Structures are given as structure tokens and as C-alpha cells.
Amino acid sequence: MEYIIEENKIIIPEPNDFNIKHICDCGQMFRYEDKITNFTVKSSKYEAIVYENDKKSAIIESKNIKYYEKYFDLATDYGIIKSELVKTPILEKAISFGSGIRIAKQDLLEMIVSFIISANNNISRIKRTINQLCESFGEWCENYFAFPTLQALKEVTKSDFEKFGCGYRSQYLVDTIANLSFEKLENLKNSDDRIAKAELLGMKGVGEKVADCIMLFGLSRKKVFPVDVWMSRVCDDYFDLKGKSRPQKSKLMCEKFGNLSGYAQQYLFYYKREMKEK
């Protein structure tokens, strides 16, 4: 996919592999707003405004454009990825439906906290909780709040998390954040998949699905296949895996799709959820 970088803008003239609605609505991020004419997307301490111009080009505007070039993984050729995945019939349908999905390269700390909050939760509530956390403990950045730093998060109490609607997850968040350090976060980034997943599973509030989401969205490890209720149904309906546990389904799907497992999961998740809602 070709794109042009200007001072505070990325222009994607032919956005066949980039659709901001597909990207935001496939379950990988929570700090975004659909404003009809554009989307605002926040990550860490940065913000971008994404929209389509009258020439049907996709435009990404930000004061930190290099961050969002990496964030939206613009250097990766999704055409090659899709050409391999469409060999599976259901993925041909899913990719046609969500052709503009890209897996964002997100901040690891933000993903750990966000996906602990996400457990057995719905997206509107998750977004509201994270926004309240940012507004209460994040740095003010001209017209929005950043995601809190690790130092700021260590000041958040169980009662604060409960006030934000985290419920039983509140103590998990306090315990996990207390045991995090900059060194531990860096070690996770540099660890192989097996060690990184084991470290994540050792955190309070992190089970198999949450660990896989953090691996995929916070560590950019693609040989994972997070299985929630939606993906369990996909595995049953399209891959004849009824009767298998969710961890078994995840393992079997990773064996099937290998290093493209995370991409397959995102196309299938978006397709299943959107078709169900329709």
C-alpha cells in the first residue's frame, strides 16, 4: 500500500487495505470515537484524526505522524497476507467484508490494563471505564487526556478502579500494576513468544484470551488466536471444533494459520460480530 507523508499528515491515495471503521471496530482498541465525518484515535499520549477526503483518499492527521505510521502498521503489505488467507473459504468472505482491517501496534502498558478491564465486559463499558481512568490520572494534552503513565497508575487505588466500573477486576489491576516496572515491560518486548505468554499468564486478571490479546495488540506477536465467545462460535460454525475448550480451539487455529493466525482472527471476529448485529 502506497502512502505519502507530509508534515502532520499521511495520505493513502488508494486505501484498499485501510478502513478506519474496520480497524476500530474489530475489538483491538478502545480509545477511539466515531464522529461520523471522522474518527479520533488515541494511543498512549498521542492522538490522530482519520477521515476520507473528497478524492476518497484516507487521511491520517496528527502532531506525531511517525507514531501513527507505525501504529497503523502502514509498512506491512496486507495484500500478501490476504492473498494467503482467502484460500480458506470463510476467510474469503470475512476479508471481503472487512478488507480494511489492520492490526495496530499499540502501547504494551495500555494493552495490559485495557484487556484486564475487558474481561467479561462489553465494549461501550470498557471504553467508558478507560476514558474515566485517563481523565482522572492521565496528563492533559491540549484537548485530550493521555493514557496514564506507569507511575500514575501505581497511584490508582482499588476504590478508584471500582468507581470507574471495574468491579471484581479492580484488585487484579492494583496487583498487576504494583508488580509492573519499566524493566519488566521491556523484557516482555524482548522475550520469545513462549516466555512472554507465560509472564502474562502470571499476572492477576490475565487468562488465556486476555494474554493472547496482549500478545497480539501490545507485543505484535501474530502467532496467537484469541478465543472469546464470538470466536468460539466461529470455530464451531466454520472449523468443526464443537466440543473443544477455548484453549484447544486457540491452539488448533494457530496450528492451521501459523504466523498469520492473528490476522485471521481479526477478520473472522469482525465478520462474525458485525453479521450477528445485522
Side-chain angles (χ1 to χ4, degrees), residues 3 21 25 37 39 42 47 67 109-110 117-118 126 129 150-151 159 189 202 209-210 220 229-230 238 252 276:
Y3 58 94
K21 178 172 174 54
D25 287 349
T37 58
F39 278 72
K42 300 179 183 70
E47 180 186 55
Y67 181 87
L109 174 63
E110 186 170 339
I117 291 170
S118 79
I126 299 163
T129 296
L150 180 56
Q151 182 179 3
S159 61
K189 294 174 187 177
K209 183 261 181 178
V210 167
S220 297
V229 62
W230 293 105
Y238 303 117
L252 289 167
K276 177 68 175 178

Side-chain angles (χ1 to χ4, degrees), residues 31-251:
R31 292 177 65 215
Y32 69 89
E33 292 179 75
D34 180 352
K35 297 186 174 181
I36 302 177
T37 58
N38 64 63
F39 278 72
T40 60
V41 180
K42 300 179 183 70
S43 176
S44 185
K45 59 183 179 180
Y46 307 113
E47 180 186 55
I49 299 172
V50 187
Y51 59 93
E52 190 178 85
N53 68 10
D54 56 5
K55 296 179 181 178
K56 303 299 182 183
S57 299
I59 310 295
I60 303 166
E61 289 188 0
S62 177
K63 292 183 177 179
N64 305 94
I65 211 64
K66 282 294 183 182
Y67 181 87
Y68 281 98
E69 180 186 15
K70 180 180 178 182
Y71 178 88
F72 287 118
D73 196 21
L74 297 184
T76 297
D77 189 338
Y78 274 63
I80 293 174
I81 293 164
K82 291 191 282 190
S83 68
E84 184 63 29
L85 290 176
V86 293
K87 295 174 184 177
T88 300
I90 184 57
L91 269 160
E92 184 176 13
K93 291 183 180 179
I95 288 170
S96 176
F97 186 80
S99 61
I101 288 173
R102 304 184 77 83
I103 298 179
K105 293 178 179 290
Q106 302 185 71
D107 179 76
L108 176 57
L109 174 63
E110 186 170 339
M111 291 300 95
I112 291 171
V113 173
S114 297
F115 277 97
I116 292 175
I117 291 170
S118 79
N120 300 310
N121 214 338
N122 64 63
I123 288 179
S124 61
R125 189 184 299 135
I126 299 163
K127 290 177 68 174
R128 184 167 62 250
T129 296
I130 294 171
N131 282 338
Q132 289 177 321
L133 177 62
C134 294
E135 288 171 4
S136 298
F137 291 91
E139 178 188 354
W140 177 246
C141 302
E142 294 186 15
N143 64 339
Y144 63 92
F145 288 96
F147 192 82
T149 63
L150 180 56
Q151 182 179 3
L153 285 169
K154 288 182 181 291
E155 298 175 5
V156 187
T157 65
K158 181 184 176 184
S159 61
D160 289 327
F161 281 122
E162 288 173 340
K163 182 176 65 178
F164 301 148
C166 294
Y168 71 89
R169 309 165 195 85
S170 300
Q171 190 62 55
Y172 296 155
L173 288 158
V174 170
D175 292 345
T176 289
I177 290 165
N179 288 312
L180 285 176
S181 65
F182 295 111
E183 292 76 19
K184 181 171 280 191
L185 292 169
E186 288 304 308
N187 286 340
L188 274 169
K189 294 174 187 177
N190 296 319
S191 297
D192 65 29
D193 288 0
R194 181 182 59 83
I195 293 172
K197 177 126 181 222
E199 286 287 331
L200 290 170
L201 287 171
M203 298 179 184
K204 293 289 183 67
V206 178
E208 287 283 339
K209 183 261 181 178
V210 167
D212 284 342
C213 286
I214 297 168
M215 291 278 286
L216 183 56
F217 307 128
L219 290 170
S220 297
R221 310 297 174 88
K222 304 304 193 298
K223 198 172 182 179
V224 294
F225 194 96
V227 176
D228 63 356
V229 62
W230 293 105
M231 295 313 301
S232 186
R233 292 170 187 164
V234 165
C235 292
D236 293 347
D237 294 346
Y238 303 117
F239 297 94
D240 195 26
L241 295 181
K242 285 183 180 178
K244 304 289 186 184
S245 68
R246 290 186 186 180
Q248 286 174 325
K249 290 173 180 178
S250 177
K251 181 175 183 291

